[in-house]
Amino acid sequence: MTLKNKMIGIDEAIISAKRVMFRCNKLAKITCMKIGITRLYLSPEHSLVNELVGNWMKKAGMIVRQDEVGNICGRYESKYINSPAIVLGSHLDTVRNAGRYDGILGVLTAIEIVYWLNKNQTRLKLAIEVIGFGDEEGTRFGITLLGSRGLTGTWKKEWLLYTDKDGITISEAMTNFGLDIRKIKDASRNIKDIVAYIEFHIEQGPCLDNENLPLGVVTTIHGARRFNCRFIGQSGHAGTVPMYYRKDALVAFAEWMTFVEHNTCKKHPQLVATVGFLNCKPGATNVIPGEVDFSLDIRGPKDSLLESLSTTLLKEANIIANNRKLSFEFKEYYRTSATVCDIKLQKILFNSIQELQGRCLLLPSGAGHDAIAIAECWPIGMLFIRNHLGISHNPKESINLDDLIISLQAYSYAVNKIINKI
Ligand SMILES: [Zn+2]
């Protein structure tokens, strides 16, 4: 194979990029909202999208099937019989009032890579599977990564009883969708049948935009810890209790919040801590806040860092509470480990991008992705495309055509290299 044939040529990349944009717009119309995009797992919209994407996969030369948990899977055979596959993909579900690229772009660009190989009658030494995962966001049932966990065979039986906001269980929703819950295990794949997983995704932060680069390579998907926390003081009359005698829970919180800001970035530049929810009780203009309930979300590239940061922040909250004669309590309710992208895949992706755009940025992902689940079984690699201002989970998600053109070239180049080197 000559260098020219190792990546989608510029003329073809332009056509492909335009097709991807057109298809993103088309999928954006498949939504349960009158205005905006919301596409939920096991919904009628999920079914429509699978049908449409499945047809695009077929047109690109793939054999297509919907698996037992509702993922749409296309397979492009290698030049050998029964060879393992490299899996390319992302998710087709969305958050509520979503953008049109998150997840979707990773599926549609992967289809273009196969389309190009098939058009040039090229078969590689590994099969390529493109997967559009049915659920990554967890918007409907509150459990994330249900699609990719089908592949890894890590579905828990009790999940079937989880309900959506209308009281419909996953079990019922699967049946309504035409799936058989007794066959969920059949969605899982043998370890030896998959060699690696690559996910192309919009960056959901501003780093590439700030660096003025179209593409970057992900090093780690951040782990997370989430806590429900509470400062408990004493509510009282806003006019009669002198400042000195107060046990104001909001003031304790405010003191602690500045500690959070200063100490999180001091510990490690990639650590982030957020209080996104705050409820001040009793919540009246003329009453001293006696209780403040709030969430704490911590994310970072290493489990040890998450452990250390959460210990520091929660310890300080206790100290502040004691100093002010208040009490503090917390409960951890969620944790995920940091996921490291495969070093070999990182290098190949990095070199491919660098050859095309001159330099390449290595960056962590603060958001979760299907790759987290897949990494439990197979090596993963991720590449990010610039997303204007880094705004995502929002209708304002935006990518530009030139970035997409170079992305298709770099992605196809990297896939070729990975298949030859792995
Ligand atoms: Zn996503």
Side-chain angles (χ1 to χ4, degrees), residues 91 102-103 136-137 201 204 369:
H91 58 99
D102 178 356
E136 186 265 353
E137 304 284 7
H201 203 280
Q204 290 169 285
H369 298 288

Side-chain angles (χ1 to χ4, degrees), residues 283-304:
T285 311
N286 57 355
V287 183
I288 299 162
E291 188 178 308
V292 169
D293 295 339
F294 56 97
S295 60
L296 171 64
D297 176 307
I298 298 173
R299 301 189 198 206
K302 275 187 189 166
D303 290 347
S304 57

Side-chain angles (χ1 to χ4, degrees), residues 38-232:
T38 301
R39 212 162 39 242
L40 305 178
Y41 182 45
L42 304 175
S43 64
E45 293 76 30
H46 177 186
S47 191
L48 280 172
V49 160
N50 274 5
E51 195 185 328
L52 201 54
V53 171
N55 282 333
W56 293 336
M57 285 172 166
K58 276 181 205 155
K59 272 188 195 163
M62 287 178 259
I63 307 287
V64 178
R65 72 184 185 95
Q66 179 179 275
D67 78 7
E68 293 75 5
V69 295
N71 300 316
I72 189 81
C73 311
R75 184 175 169 97
Y76 184 69
E77 289 298 344
S78 83
K79 55 178 135 179
Y80 308 114
I81 300 164
N82 291 333
S83 73
I86 180 172
V87 175
L88 315 177
S90 196
H91 58 99
L92 294 168
D93 67 320
T94 73
V95 292
R96 290 184 199 281
N97 199 22
R100 65 189 58 208
Y101 303 111
D102 178 356
I104 290 101
L105 200 61
V107 183
L108 299 185
T109 48
I111 291 173
E112 290 304 316
I113 292 177
V114 174
Y115 176 86
W116 160 72
L117 288 169
N118 187 47
K119 197 177 162 205
N120 292 291
Q121 298 181 331
T122 305
R123 299 271 168 185
L124 304 174
K125 66 175 191 175
L126 291 177
I128 298 179
E129 269 205 49
V130 179
I131 301 184
F133 291 109
D135 172 88
E136 186 265 353
E137 304 284 7
T139 313
R140 181 167 179 191
F141 296 103
I143 318 170
T144 58
L145 304 172
L146 287 169
S148 40
R149 282 173 172 158
L151 255 71
T152 56
T154 48
W155 258 63
K156 291 181 183 161
K157 254 192 178 161
E158 60 262 32
W159 290 347
L160 289 170
L161 300 174
Y162 275 62
T163 53
D164 66 7
K165 68 174 178 48
D166 299 320
I168 298 169
T169 62
I170 293 187
S171 173
E172 287 163 345
M174 287 185 96
T175 307
N176 294 342
F177 195 78
L179 297 169
D180 183 344
I181 58 166
R182 292 167 303 180
K183 292 185 175 168
I184 289 171
K185 269 281 167 207
D186 295 351
S188 69
R189 306 295 183 90
N190 291 324
I191 294 288
K192 64 176 178 44
D193 290 343
I194 293 175
V195 174
Y197 171 76
I198 310 292
E199 184 164 353
F200 176 88
H201 203 280
I202 55 163
E203 192 205 348
Q204 290 169 285
C207 300
L208 289 168
D209 207 15
N210 287 338
E211 292 283 331
N212 196 22
L213 286 171
L215 283 163
V217 173
V218 179
T219 52
T220 315
I221 303 169
H222 282 177
R225 302 263 198 286
R226 284 182 198 155
F227 303 87
N228 284 321
C229 309
R230 179 178 295 149
F231 279 110
I232 304 162

